[in-house]
């Protein structure tokens, strides 16, 4: 074993071979004093470059950049050997850089898995499993910090829930069972229609569409969900009525009011340091809540804002109801009722009621009080007139009020609501 410039422990046979090679090639390979410093400097510089650029470069560009640096180092080493018979070994810088890169890959993998678990945990109970998996596979689509986008917001509430809850005052567990029994199918419908369940507020549900994933038909999906929710409530009520008949107890039907509105909202992860919720804020949310509250006034279980109605008018039976100024807003809004799907829209009975409503609203907004009252009377003689009876009575009361106290000059027909 001999000590050489290449190694401190090298077998003598190899030394003899290297000596013979040096004699024959008339060149002696040696390692300059600065070689170790150059190798360490190269390892540090390339390691820093990997740390800086790995998070920003894609895998393809990163591999190309790595190959370029490796070629430069190998070329420099070969040139040094060819020109001066100097040994500058860049093997260790390349190995250390590769180790840094592999560490980054492992850390990125762990971080991505944690992010997927977090996303599944946040959205699994509020969205369909298909959408949750899409989010988990594409976490960049989720902006938890907040973003502004167009949404369709839904509020639903049970009419007369106080009376229902009083009937369970001696059976609180029964009330909880009833709530779960009726909230479960409504939630299932929202999720099936690509909606996101924001929260439950007692007997009320808040949901929205077009976030966190894009939904090009969010208005249509929200309207379809609203109609299906009413159908599910009918099924639950039929079951409860049979149970009440067999059990000999009082049956109180569940009636739901639903408000839908489309507009710009800020959606993101909101709350406190201890607890957060993926939710939405904005003026469009407030209007959706107000529309839900007006369902009992107009006699229709589904009331929607103008932007929702405009997007869904070819798929559902849309009926204009009013031009209102809701409490807390400064801009009036045309509101509509959803009376059914496309089959209802194409029916002759709905078309007659729609035409009568248009005539009544035209006369009303033109201050032709008698013309509006005549349209109401013709509407009452039409088929399915019971659907509009509450609306007719509402306008009759307003017309009588305006006869006694005419609206001011420049009145646009907007009516300021006094209640939420």
């Amino acid at each position: 074993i001999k000590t050489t410039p290449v190694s401190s422990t090298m077998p003598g046979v190899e030394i003899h071979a290297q000596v013979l090679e040096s004699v024959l090639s008339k060149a002696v390979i040696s390692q300059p004093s600065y070689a170790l410093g150059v190798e360490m400097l190269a390892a540090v510089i390339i390691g820093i470059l990997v740390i800086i650029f790995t998070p920003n470069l894609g895998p393809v560009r990163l591999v190309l950049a790595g190959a370029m640096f490796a070629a430069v180092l190998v070329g420099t080493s070969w040139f040094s050997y060819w020109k001066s018979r100097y040994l500058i070994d860049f093997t260790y810088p390349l190995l250390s850089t590769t180790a840094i890169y592999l560490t980054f890959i492992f850390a990125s993998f762990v971080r991505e898995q944690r992010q997927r678990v977090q996303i599944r945990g946040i959205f699994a109970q509020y969205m369909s499993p298909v959408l949750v998996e899409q989010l988990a596979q594409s976490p960049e689509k989720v902006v938890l910090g907040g973003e502004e986008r167009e949404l369709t917001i839904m509020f639903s509430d049970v009419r007369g829930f106080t009376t229902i809850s009083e009937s369970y005052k001696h059976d609180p567990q029964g009330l909880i069972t009833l709530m779960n029994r009726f909230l479960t199918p409504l939630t299932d419908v929202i999720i099936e229609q690509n909606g996101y369940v924001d929260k439950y507020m007692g007997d009320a549900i808040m949901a929205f569409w077009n976030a966190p994933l894009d939904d090009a038909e969010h208005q249509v999906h929200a309207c379809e969900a609203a109609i299906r929710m009413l159908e599910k409530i009918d099924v639950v009520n039929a079951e409860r009525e049979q149970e009440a008949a067999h059990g000999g107890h009082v049956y109180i039907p569940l009636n739901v009011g639903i408000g839908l509105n489309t507009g710009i909202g800020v959606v993101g992860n909101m709350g406190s340091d201890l607890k957060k919720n993926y939710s939405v804020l904005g003026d469009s949310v407030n209007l959706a809540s107000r529309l839900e509250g007006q369902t009992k006034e107009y006699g229709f279980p589904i009331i929607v804002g103008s932007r929702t109605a405009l997007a869904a008018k070819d798929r559902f039976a849309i009926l204009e109801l009013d031009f209102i100024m809701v409490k807390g807003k400064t801009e009036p809004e045309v509101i509509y009722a959803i009376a059914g799907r496309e089959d209802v829209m194409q029916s002759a009975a709905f078309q007659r009621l729609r035409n009568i409503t248009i005539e009544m609203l035209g006369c009303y907004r033109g201050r032709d009080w008698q013309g509006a009252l005549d349209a109401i009377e013709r509407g009452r003689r039409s088929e399915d007139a019971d659907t509009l009876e509450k609306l007719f009575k509402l306008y009759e009361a307003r017309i009588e009020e305006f006869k006694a106290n005419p609206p001011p000059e420049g009145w646009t027909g907007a009516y300021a609501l006094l209640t939420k």
Side-chain angles (χ1 to χ4, degrees):
I1 301 297
K2 304 293 182 180
T3 299
T4 72
V6 178
S7 175
S8 60
T9 55
M10 178 171 284
V13 175
E14 294 189 13
I15 296 176
H16 297 159
Q18 288 183 356
V19 170
L20 288 174
E21 181 189 14
S22 298
V23 171
L24 293 173
S25 63
K26 297 180 181 181
V28 178
I29 187 171
S30 62
Q31 189 174 40
S33 59
Y34 56 82
L36 182 59
V38 172
E39 295 169 7
M40 293 183 63
L41 182 63
V44 171
I45 292 176
I46 299 176
I48 292 175
L49 291 176
V50 169
I51 293 172
I52 293 174
F53 290 106
T54 296
N56 300 319
L57 293 178
V60 175
R61 287 187 292 178
L62 193 62
V63 169
L64 292 176
M68 182 184 68
F69 274 108
V72 169
L73 294 179
V74 171
T76 302
S77 180
W78 179 257
F79 179 80
S80 174
Y81 168 75
W82 174 73
K83 193 73 175 174
S84 305
R85 290 297 187 269
Y86 284 162
L87 174 63
I88 301 178
D89 189 2
F90 288 110
T91 302
Y92 296 113
L94 290 175
L95 290 176
S96 65
T97 303
T98 303
I100 294 173
Y101 177 63
L102 292 176
T103 302
F104 261 102
I105 291 178
F106 178 74
S108 177
F109 174 78
V110 172
R111 184 170 58 252
E112 184 176 335
Q113 292 302 312
R114 287 179 179 175
Q115 191 174 37
R116 289 182 180 180
V117 171
Q118 179 188 20
I119 289 172
R120 289 189 180 101
I122 292 173
F123 297 105
Q125 298 183 20
Y126 309 102
M127 297 176 63
S128 71
V130 175
L131 295 182
V132 172
E133 193 56 34
Q134 288 182 25
L135 286 175
Q137 297 301 325
S138 304
E140 70 278 0
K141 296 181 180 180
V142 185
V143 181
L144 295 179
E147 63 174 328
E148 190 175 74
R149 63 193 300 171
E150 184 182 71
L151 304 162
T152 297
I153 302 100
M154 169 190 284
F155 280 85
S156 74
D157 195 15
V158 176
R159 303 272 81 92
F161 182 71
T162 302
T163 303
I164 296 173
S165 60
E166 286 179 351
S167 66
Y168 284 89
K169 60 184 178 181
H170 300 300
D171 184 16
Q173 187 59 44
L175 180 61
I176 295 296
T177 301
L178 175 63
M179 284 296 94
N180 293 336
R181 180 179 180 181
F182 119 86
L183 289 174
T184 297
L186 302 192
T187 301
D188 291 343
V189 166
I190 293 171
I191 291 175
E192 288 168 4
Q193 291 299 310
N194 297 336
Y196 177 82
V197 178
D198 186 315
K199 60 177 67 73
Y200 300 103
M201 299 161 286
D203 58 309
I205 301 175
M206 177 183 173
F208 54 83
W209 279 257
N210 202 35
L213 287 177
D214 294 335
D215 184 354
E217 294 189 309
H218 53 95
Q219 304 95 332
V220 173
H221 290 154
C223 293
E224 177 64 25
I227 292 178
R228 291 191 184 184
M229 288 167 70
L230 297 182
E231 293 171 348
K232 293 291 185 180
I233 287 296
D234 289 340
V235 173
V236 173
N237 280 334
E239 294 173 352
R240 292 179 59 244
E241 187 174 17
Q242 290 182 356
E243 293 168 3
H246 290 121
H249 52 266
V250 178
Y251 162 68
I252 303 176
L254 294 169
N255 296 307
V256 175
I258 300 174
L260 293 173
N261 184 51
T262 300
I264 300 299
V266 178
V267 62
N269 223 14
M270 306 174 195
S272 68
D273 293 338
L274 297 177
K275 182 176 176 59
K276 289 182 173 62
N277 183 40
Y278 188 76
S279 187
V280 60
L281 297 174
D283 188 60
S284 56
V285 181
N286 299 332
L287 181 55
S289 176
R290 301 291 188 269
L291 295 181
E292 178 274 315
Q294 293 303 314
T295 55
K296 52 182 177 287
E297 303 295 332
Y298 289 89
F300 284 90
I302 306 174
I303 295 181
V304 303
S306 56
R307 293 180 67 175
T308 307
L310 181 64
K313 62 184 177 64
D314 296 329
R315 305 276 288 274
F316 300 93
I318 305 291
L319 192 69
E320 184 177 349
L321 296 180
D322 206 351
F323 186 47
I324 62 172
M325 182 89 72
V326 300
K327 194 172 183 179
K329 281 181 58 69
T330 58
E331 293 294 328
E333 176 86 9
V334 180
I335 63 173
Y336 300 80
I338 296 182
R341 296 187 181 87
E342 193 172 357
D343 57 335
V344 176
M345 177 180 65
Q346 295 176 351
S347 67
F350 175 77
Q351 291 298 327
R352 284 193 297 270
L353 291 177
R354 181 174 176 272
N355 292 335
I356 288 171
T357 304
I358 292 173
E359 181 183 353
M360 177 195 71
L361 291 175
C363 293
Y364 169 79
R365 292 167 185 168
R367 301 172 185 247
D368 181 5
W369 312 128
Q370 190 57 48
L373 292 174
D374 292 341
I376 289 173
E377 287 304 316
R378 287 195 300 276
R380 285 195 169 113
R381 295 193 294 270
S382 300
E383 184 181 353
D384 295 331
D386 292 343
T387 306
L388 297 176
E389 183 57 32
K390 203 162 189 177
L391 183 67
F392 289 156
K393 288 183 177 180
L394 182 147
Y395 274 96
E396 283 178 331
R398 285 191 196 173
I399 290 171
E400 293 302 320
E401 178 186 345
F402 283 141
K403 282 183 177 180
N405 301 290
E409 292 296 327
W411 180 64
T412 61
Y415 189 83
L417 299 178
L418 302 178
T419 62
K420 294 183 179 182

